[in-house]
Amino acid sequence: IHFYKRFSPLSYTNLQLPTMVKSVKAEGQPKRPMSTYFLWMNAVGRAGVKEKNPGASITEVSKKCGEEWRALDDASKKKYEKMQQEAKEKFEVDMKEWLENGGEEAMKQAKKETQAKKDKKASRA
């Protein structure tokens, strides 16, 4: 009986839950490159799983893709690791160029806007 008193819904009223706010993206900021798994999934994995399991839901397709990726040999993964490495190098060059051409100020502004959204949401709660 004391268990119910301790964890009654009334005891939760004073808890402060964290506020989730979607961060504001800076204008023109380059996107991060996809991982090797996602490169494989977009090129081969998802289509192959859907072909084998035509009536599968999205979650089932994702689970099957994960199983196939884990079962894939290293030689097959090398191709996608190389693609990912090239994409990562391109991203680093693009990001450096973006930061040099005024991206740093845009990033600071985006962080300020995100913080403002957090403060506004926190004041409403």
Side-chain angles (χ1 to χ4, degrees):
I1 296 174
H2 68 280
F3 175 80
Y4 291 108
K5 287 182 181 178
R6 219 174 34 194
F7 294 107
S8 70
L10 298 175
S11 65
Y12 289 120
T13 56
N14 294 336
L15 288 177
Q16 192 73 344
L17 298 174
T19 57
M20 299 297 288
V21 175
K22 187 175 181 182
S23 63
V24 178
K25 299 293 179 194
E27 187 71 29
Q29 183 177 2
K31 285 188 174 184
R32 291 185 61 158
M34 285 191 275
S35 68
T36 53
Y37 170 69
F38 279 104
L39 288 169
W40 169 81
M41 203 166 84
N42 287 340
V44 178
R46 190 179 291 126
V49 169
K50 281 185 177 181
E51 195 175 289
K52 293 176 192 170
N53 306 299
S57 68
I58 295 171
T59 53
E60 290 171 1
V61 168
S62 298
K63 287 177 186 176
K64 296 281 185 188
C65 282
E67 290 170 10
E68 284 190 21
W69 175 252
R70 283 188 290 277
L72 207 62
D73 60 294
D74 287 340
S76 300
K77 288 183 181 182
K78 278 281 187 227
K79 172 184 168 187
Y80 298 101
E81 288 172 357
K82 184 180 177 194
M83 289 170 60
Q84 197 273 339
Q85 188 62 34
E86 290 170 359
K88 183 179 178 183
E89 290 167 2
K90 182 185 181 307
F91 167 76
E92 288 172 353
V93 168
D94 291 347
M95 187 66 167
K96 187 176 180 181
E97 184 180 302
W98 180 74
L99 286 171
E100 289 171 354
N101 295 330
E104 202 166 339
E105 290 80 27
M107 193 179 287
K108 285 179 185 176
Q109 182 63 30
K111 284 183 181 180
K112 282 182 185 177
E113 289 175 21
T114 301
Q115 190 60 46
K117 283 173 92 177
K118 284 182 183 178
D119 294 342
K120 183 179 177 183
K121 191 164 187 173
S123 68
R124 282 191 280 166

